Amino acid sequence: MNTKRDQILDTALKLFVNNGFHATPTSKIAKDAGVATGTLFHYFKTKEELINTLYLETKDNLTNSLLENVNVQETLKAKFRQVFFNYIFWAVDHPNHQQFYTSYSNSPFITNLTKEHGLQRFQFIYELIEKGQDEDILKAVPIDLLVEAMQGLLNGIIKHLMENPEKMNEEKYQNDAFKLFWDTIKG
Amino acid sequence: MNTKRDQILDTALKLFVNNGFHATPTSKIAKDAGVATGTLFHYFKTKEELINTLYLETKDNLTNSLLENVNVQETLKAKFRQVFFNYIFWAVDHPNHQQFYTSYSNSPFITNLTKEHGLQRFQFIYELIEKGQDEDILKAVPIDLLVEAMQGLLNGIIKHLMENPEKMNEEKYQNDAFKLFWDTIKG
Amino acid sequence: MNTKRDQILDTALKLFVNNGFHATPTSKIAKDAGVATGTLFHYFKTKEELINTLYLETKDNLTNSLLENVNVQETLKAKFRQVFFNYIFWAVDHPNHQQFYTSYSNSPFITNLTKEHGLQRFQFIYELIEKGQDEDILKAVPIDLLVEAMQGLLNGIIKHLMENPEKMNEEKYQNDAFKLFWDTIKG
Amino acid sequence: MNTKRDQILDTALKLFVNNGFHATPTSKIAKDAGVATGTLFHYFKTKEELINTLYLETKDNLTNSLLENVNVQETLKAKFRQVFFNYIFWAVDHPNHQQFYTSYSNSPFITNLTKEHGLQRFQFIYELIEKGQDEDILKAVPIDLLVEAMQGLLNGIIKHLMENPEKMNEEKYQNDAFKLFWDTIKG
DNA sequence: AATGAATGAGCTTTCATTCAT
DNA sequence: CATGAATGAAAGCTCATTCAT
C-alpha cells in the first residue's frame, strides 16, 4: 500500500546516506523512486519534512529492535548484553538505516521537535542505567556521561564491524566486542 | 602575514562547523572574512580545496598537541593518560577545530589523498597500542577495533564535556573520564 | 506547440548572430524570450547544447531549401543555377539563419558530432559536382578545392547582397552574380 | 627590444586564433607570455586595445607582403597573379596571422576606427580593379561585388590549402588555383 | 618598467517548490 | 492521486582591471 510514498522514503534514505542531504536533489529522489517531482511534494510538504519523517521512522524501527528478547527476570548484565547485540545486529541488518541514524541524529536538518520526540523512546535505557548505578553494578559517574560514552563506543564498534562484516558471526569477536562495552560501564 | 588567507580559513572553519559545508555559501565566507569573493578563489581554487586545506591544518594542529609532554620513561598507562588529556584539553581549547574534525573526517568532501596524508600523523598511536598489547597491558583484540573503540569513546566523552564545560576542571570528573577510557582498553 | 522552446531558439539565434556566443548571457536569452532562466535549462542542458541544436536545425532548414525545384531532367548548369539561387534567396529570406550558419559552422562551439551530422546533408552537392567533372563540364581540379571555392565565393556574394539588399531583384545583378559563380567552376 | 610587449602580442595572437577572444583570459595570455597580469595592462590599456593592435599590425604585415614584386610594367593579369600568390604564400607562411585576419576582420571587437584604418591599405587593389574594368579585362559588375567575390574565393582556396599544405608546391595545383581566381573576375 | 594580490560584477547552472492539467 | 513544465533565487566560479610596491 501507499507504494509511492514508501518508494520515496526508501530512495531518499539511500541517497541521503550516500551523498548527503544537500547533495541530494529532490528531483533525483523522485527520479530514482520512479515518481514525478510533484508526487514527492504531495506526500512531504518540504524536503525537510521528508528527512524528519525518515528520522522518526528509523528511530522507531531501531527502538523496537533494541527491546526484543530483553527478559525481565534476567540479570542486568544479561539485559545489557541483549540490548548491545540487538543494536549491533540491527546495524548489520539495516546498514543504511544505521548510517542514516548516526549521520543525521546531530544534524541541523532534524528539528528539535523531532529530536525530543525521538528521545522519549530511549527512556528505558536511562532507567536501566539508573538501576545499575543504584545497585553498584555500573560506574557512579554522571548518567549523561555514561550514555554518551556508551553511544560513542557503540558507534566505534559498529564502524569497525561495517568495515569487517565477516567478523559478525565469530564468537570470539562477539565476546571481545561486548567485553569492551561492559568493561567501560561496569563499576 | 597573509592575513587574508588566514581570515578566510578561520571564517570558513566556523561556518562549516555551525552550518555545514553545503549550507555555507562561499559568498558568506568571503563576506564574513571581510574579503572579496574573488580573493577566496585566489587562495583556494575551489571550495573543496578550501575544506581540504582546513582539514589538514586542523589535523596537524591536533597531532602536535597530542604529543606534548608525552614522556618516554613513563609507564604506558601514564602515556595514554597524557595523550587522553592532551586530546581532551585540545578539544576544549579549540572547540571549533574539534567539531570540525569529528564532523568532517568521514565526509566525502575530504579526498582520499587528504585522508591518507592525515593518517600518517597518527602512526605513533598505533605503535603505542601494539606495544601495550605485546606487554599484555591492553586487550588482545584486533587493533583496528581497539582504535575505533577509543576514537568513538573519546567522541562521546568530549560531546558530554562540550555540553558541560564547567566540569573540565573538577578532579573527580577527570578521573571518572579517564577511568572510562582506561577500563575500555586495558586487558 | 512547445512555444517556450521555440521562443528560446529564436531569441538565441538572433542574439548569437548580433553579439556572439560568449557575449550573449543565457540570462539575456531567457529574458528576451520571456521565460525564466530555469526554463532555458529545462529544454537545453547547457548553453552548448542550445547552440548545437540551433546549428542542426538551421542546416536542416538550409538543406531543404537548396533542393527545392531542382529538376532531374534539366541541364547541369540549370541545376547549379537553381541551387545557387535557392541558396541566395534562402540567405535573403533568413538573414539571421544565414549569418548564424556562416559564423558558427567553423566555430569550436559546434561539436564534431554535430558537424558530421550536418555534413551528410550536403552529399548531393558532391554528387552533382562529380557528375559535372565526369562530363567535362566543370574544372578538373580536386573536388574539395572546388567545394571550398564555391562556398567561399557564395559567402562573398551573399555578404555583398546583405549590404545591398535592394539589388536582389535586379535581373542584371542576378545574372552578374551567377556568371561569377559559373565562370569559377565551369571547365 | 620591448621583448615583453612582443611576447604578449605573439601569445595573444595564438590564443585568440585557437580559442577565440572571449575564451582567452588576459590572465592566460600573461601567463603563457611569461609576464605578470599587470604588465599586459601596462602595454595595452584594455583587452580590446590589444586585439585592435594585433589587427592593425597583422593587416600591415599582410599589405606589405601583397605588394612585393608587383611590377609596374607587367600586364594586369600578371599583376593579379603576383598579388594572388603573394596572398597565398603569406597565408601559408603565417598561418596564425591568416587565421586571425579572417576570423576577426568582421568581428565586433575590431572598432570601426581600426577597420577604416585598415581599409586604406587596400586602396591599391581597388585601383587595380578599376583599371581592369576600364580596359574591359575584368567583369563589368559593381566593384564591391567583385571585391567581395575575390575575398570570399581566396578564403575558400586558402582554407583548402591549409588542410592540404603539401599541395602548395605542386605547379599544377598553383595553376588550378589561379585559374579559379582569374576565371571568376575576368570579363 | 614590472609585479601579482585584490576586487566584485557577472557568468552558467542548480534546485526546491508550485500549479494547471 | 499524480504529473512535469515552469519558476527564479542563489550557488560556485571567472576574469578584466586596478594599484601599492
Side-chain angles (χ1 to χ4, degrees):
Chain A
M1 254 86 344
N2 228 335
T3 331
K4 305 237 168 193
R5 185 176 179 277
D6 289 347
Q7 278 160 239
I8 293 168
L9 284 170
D10 284 356
T11 308
L13 183 84
K14 240 169 278 170
L15 291 171
F16 286 157
V17 163
N18 290 326
N19 311 324
F21 181 70
H22 277 118
T24 304
T26 51
S27 59
K28 185 163 175 47
I29 300 173
K31 200 178 174 189
D32 285 16
V35 304
T37 58
T39 306
L40 191 155
F41 287 93
H42 175 68
Y43 286 108
F44 309 97
K45 256 203 299 276
T46 65
K47 197 184 177 186
E48 298 230 331
E49 187 180 315
L50 170 59
I51 199 174
N52 277 276
T53 303
L54 227 31
Y55 181 77
L56 243 29
E57 300 202 352
T58 297
K59 189 119 187 190
D60 259 357
N61 188 307
L62 168 58
T63 320
N64 290 338
S65 294
L66 286 189
L67 287 171
E68 272 171 24
N69 300 319
V70 176
N71 225 314
V72 191
Q73 61 254 48
E74 300 266 26
T75 65
L76 199 81
K77 183 174 178 183
K79 281 182 194 146
F80 269 103
R81 190 180 169 94
Q82 186 63 45
V83 172
F84 176 83
F85 282 110
N86 280 343
Y87 196 163
I88 299 237
F89 279 103
W90 178 82
V92 171
D93 285 352
H94 309 78
N96 281 332
H97 284 79
Q98 139 69 17
Q99 261 283 42
F100 177 82
Y101 181 62
T102 47
S103 296
Y104 290 97
S105 54
N106 288 309
S107 88
F109 316 131
I110 307 302
T111 67
N112 287 335
L113 201 70
T114 304
K115 275 177 198 162
E116 276 170 38
H117 192 82
L119 252 188
Q120 299 171 1
R121 312 187 185 196
F122 268 170
Q123 195 51 40
F124 80 101
I125 295 279
Y126 276 84
E127 286 164 13
L128 221 53
I129 297 174
E130 272 168 3
K131 207 174 146 210
Q133 291 184 320
D134 286 350
E135 298 176 8
D136 279 334
I137 301 175
L138 300 187
K139 287 193 171 71
V141 306
I143 188 161
D144 286 341
L145 174 59
L146 211 51
V147 169
E148 294 291 1
M150 285 167 57
Q151 184 74 257
L153 184 62
L154 263 166
N155 287 156
I157 292 171
I158 284 168
K159 200 174 154 209
H160 182 258
L161 198 52
M162 289 300 176
E163 286 157 10
N164 305 273
E166 77 284 0
K167 307 240 177 187
M168 184 70 254
N169 297 314
E170 295 179 17
E171 206 185 319
K172 175 172 174 349
Y173 185 87
Q174 290 184 11
N175 289 334
D176 281 352
F178 182 65
K179 190 163 187 356
L180 281 169
F181 183 78
W182 185 248
D183 282 0
T184 305
I185 62 175
K186 83 141 187 278
Chain B
M1 240 83 352
N2 227 334
T3 331
K4 305 238 168 191
R5 185 175 179 277
D6 290 346
Q7 280 160 238
I8 293 167
L9 284 170
D10 286 356
T11 309
L13 183 84
K14 241 170 279 171
L15 291 170
F16 286 158
V17 163
N18 290 327
N19 311 323
F21 181 71
H22 277 120
T24 304
T26 51
S27 58
K28 184 160 176 49
I29 299 174
K31 200 177 174 189
D32 285 16
V35 304
T37 60
T39 305
L40 189 156
F41 290 96
H42 177 68
Y43 286 107
F44 309 96
K45 260 201 294 279
T46 63
K47 197 185 178 186
E48 297 229 330
E49 188 178 313
L50 170 57
I51 199 174
N52 276 276
T53 303
L54 227 29
Y55 181 77
L56 243 31
E57 300 203 352
T58 297
K59 188 119 188 189
D60 260 356
N61 189 306
L62 167 58
T63 319
N64 290 339
S65 294
L66 286 190
L67 287 169
E68 272 171 24
N69 301 320
V70 176
N71 225 315
V72 191
Q73 60 253 46
E74 301 266 25
T75 65
L76 198 82
K77 182 174 178 183
K79 280 181 195 147
F80 269 103
R81 191 182 168 94
Q82 186 65 44
V83 173
F84 176 84
F85 283 110
N86 280 343
Y87 197 163
I88 299 240
F89 278 103
W90 177 83
V92 170
D93 283 353
H94 309 79
N96 282 332
H97 283 80
Q98 138 70 16
Q99 260 284 41
F100 177 81
Y101 181 63
T102 48
S103 296
Y104 290 99
S105 53
N106 288 308
S107 89
F109 316 131
I110 307 302
T111 67
N112 287 334
L113 202 72
T114 303
K115 277 177 198 162
E116 276 170 38
H117 193 82
L119 251 189
Q120 300 170 0
R121 314 187 183 198
F122 267 171
Q123 195 51 42
F124 81 100
I125 294 279
Y126 276 84
E127 287 163 13
L128 221 53
I129 297 175
E130 272 168 5
K131 207 174 146 210
Q133 291 185 320
D134 287 349
E135 299 177 8
D136 279 335
I137 300 175
L138 299 187
K139 286 194 170 70
V141 305
I143 188 162
D144 287 341
L145 175 59
L146 211 51
V147 169
E148 295 291 0
M150 285 167 57
Q151 184 74 257
L153 183 64
L154 263 166
N155 287 155
I157 293 171
I158 284 167
K159 200 173 155 212
H160 181 257
L161 198 51
M162 290 301 176
E163 287 157 9
N164 306 273
E166 77 285 359
K167 308 242 177 185
M168 184 70 255
N169 297 314
E170 296 179 16
E171 205 184 320
K172 174 172 176 346
Y173 184 87
Q174 290 185 9
N175 289 334
D176 282 351
F178 181 65
K179 190 163 186 359
L180 280 169
F181 182 77
W182 185 248
D183 282 358
T184 304
I185 62 176
K186 82 141 187 279
Chain C
M1 239 84 350
N2 228 332
T3 330
K4 305 239 169 190
R5 185 176 180 275
D6 289 347
Q7 279 159 238
I8 293 168
L9 283 170
D10 285 355
T11 308
L13 183 85
K14 241 170 278 170
L15 291 171
F16 286 157
V17 163
N18 290 327
N19 310 326
F21 181 71
H22 277 120
T24 304
T26 50
S27 60
K28 184 162 176 45
I29 300 174
K31 199 176 176 191
D32 285 15
V35 304
T37 59
T39 306
L40 190 156
F41 289 95
H42 178 69
Y43 286 107
F44 310 96
K45 260 200 295 277
T46 64
K47 197 184 177 185
E48 296 230 332
E49 187 179 312
L50 170 59
I51 199 174
N52 276 274
T53 303
L54 228 29
Y55 182 77
L56 242 31
E57 299 202 353
T58 298
K59 188 119 185 188
D60 258 356
N61 188 307
L62 167 58
T63 319
N64 289 338
S65 295
L66 286 190
L67 288 169
E68 272 171 24
N69 301 318
V70 176
N71 225 312
V72 191
Q73 63 252 47
E74 300 267 25
T75 65
L76 199 82
K77 182 172 178 181
K79 281 181 194 147
F80 269 102
R81 188 181 171 95
Q82 187 64 45
V83 173
F84 177 83
F85 282 111
N86 280 343
Y87 195 162
I88 300 241
F89 279 103
W90 177 82
V92 171
D93 285 353
H94 309 80
N96 282 331
H97 283 80
Q98 139 69 17
Q99 261 284 42
F100 177 82
Y101 180 63
T102 48
S103 295
Y104 290 98
S105 53
N106 289 309
S107 89
F109 317 130
I110 307 300
T111 68
N112 287 335
L113 201 73
T114 303
K115 275 178 198 162
E116 275 170 39
H117 193 82
L119 252 189
Q120 299 171 0
R121 314 186 184 197
F122 268 170
Q123 196 50 41
F124 81 100
I125 295 278
Y126 276 83
E127 286 164 15
L128 221 53
I129 297 174
E130 272 168 4
K131 207 174 145 207
Q133 291 185 319
D134 285 349
E135 297 176 10
D136 279 336
I137 300 175
L138 300 185
K139 287 193 171 70
V141 304
I143 188 162
D144 286 343
L145 175 59
L146 213 51
V147 169
E148 295 290 2
M150 285 167 57
Q151 185 73 258
L153 185 63
L154 263 166
N155 287 154
I157 292 170
I158 284 167
K159 199 174 156 210
H160 181 257
L161 198 52
M162 288 301 176
E163 285 157 9
N164 306 273
E166 75 287 357
K167 306 240 177 185
M168 184 69 255
N169 296 314
E170 294 179 16
E171 208 186 316
K172 177 172 173 349
Y173 185 88
Q174 291 185 7
N175 289 335
D176 282 350
F178 182 65
K179 192 164 185 355
L180 280 168
F181 182 78
W182 186 247
D183 283 358
T184 304
I185 62 175
K186 82 139 187 277
Chain D
M1 251 87 342
N2 227 334
T3 331
K4 306 238 167 192
R5 185 176 178 268
D6 289 347
Q7 279 160 238
I8 292 167
L9 283 169
D10 286 357
T11 307
L13 183 85
K14 241 169 280 171
L15 291 171
F16 286 158
V17 164
N18 291 326
N19 311 325
F21 180 71
H22 276 118
T24 304
T26 52
S27 59
K28 183 163 177 48
I29 300 174
K31 199 178 176 190
D32 285 16
V35 303
T37 59
T39 307
L40 190 156
F41 287 94
H42 176 69
Y43 286 109
F44 309 97
K45 255 202 299 276
T46 65
K47 197 185 179 185
E48 298 231 330
E49 187 179 313
L50 170 58
I51 198 174
N52 277 276
T53 303
L54 226 30
Y55 181 78
L56 243 30
E57 299 203 353
T58 297
K59 188 119 187 188
D60 259 357
N61 189 306
L62 167 58
T63 319
N64 290 339
S65 294
L66 286 190
L67 287 170
E68 272 172 25
N69 300 320
V70 176
N71 226 312
V72 192
Q73 62 253 48
E74 301 265 26
T75 64
L76 198 81
K77 183 174 177 182
K79 282 180 193 146
F80 268 103
R81 189 179 169 98
Q82 188 63 46
V83 173
F84 176 83
F85 283 109
N86 280 344
Y87 196 162
I88 298 234
F89 280 101
W90 177 84
V92 171
D93 286 352
H94 309 78
N96 281 332
H97 283 80
Q98 139 68 16
Q99 260 284 44
F100 177 81
Y101 181 62
T102 48
S103 295
Y104 291 97
S105 54
N106 288 308
S107 87
F109 316 130
I110 307 302
T111 67
N112 288 334
L113 202 70
T114 303
K115 276 178 198 161
E116 276 170 37
H117 193 83
L119 252 188
Q120 299 170 1
R121 313 188 184 195
F122 268 170
Q123 195 50 43
F124 80 100
I125 295 280
Y126 276 85
E127 286 164 13
L128 221 52
I129 296 173
E130 271 168 5
K131 208 174 143 206
Q133 291 185 319
D134 286 349
E135 297 176 10
D136 278 337
I137 300 175
L138 300 186
K139 286 194 173 69
V141 305
I143 189 162
D144 286 341
L145 175 59
L146 212 50
V147 169
E148 294 292 1
M150 286 168 56
Q151 185 73 258
L153 184 63
L154 264 166
N155 287 156
I157 292 171
I158 284 167
K159 199 175 156 208
H160 181 257
L161 199 52
M162 289 302 177
E163 286 157 8
N164 305 272
E166 77 285 359
K167 306 243 175 184
M168 184 70 252
N169 297 314
E170 295 179 16
E171 205 186 319
K172 178 172 172 348
Y173 185 86
Q174 290 185 9
N175 289 335
D176 282 352
F178 181 64
K179 192 163 184 356
L180 281 169
F181 183 77
W182 185 248
D183 283 359
T184 304
I185 63 175
K186 83 141 188 276

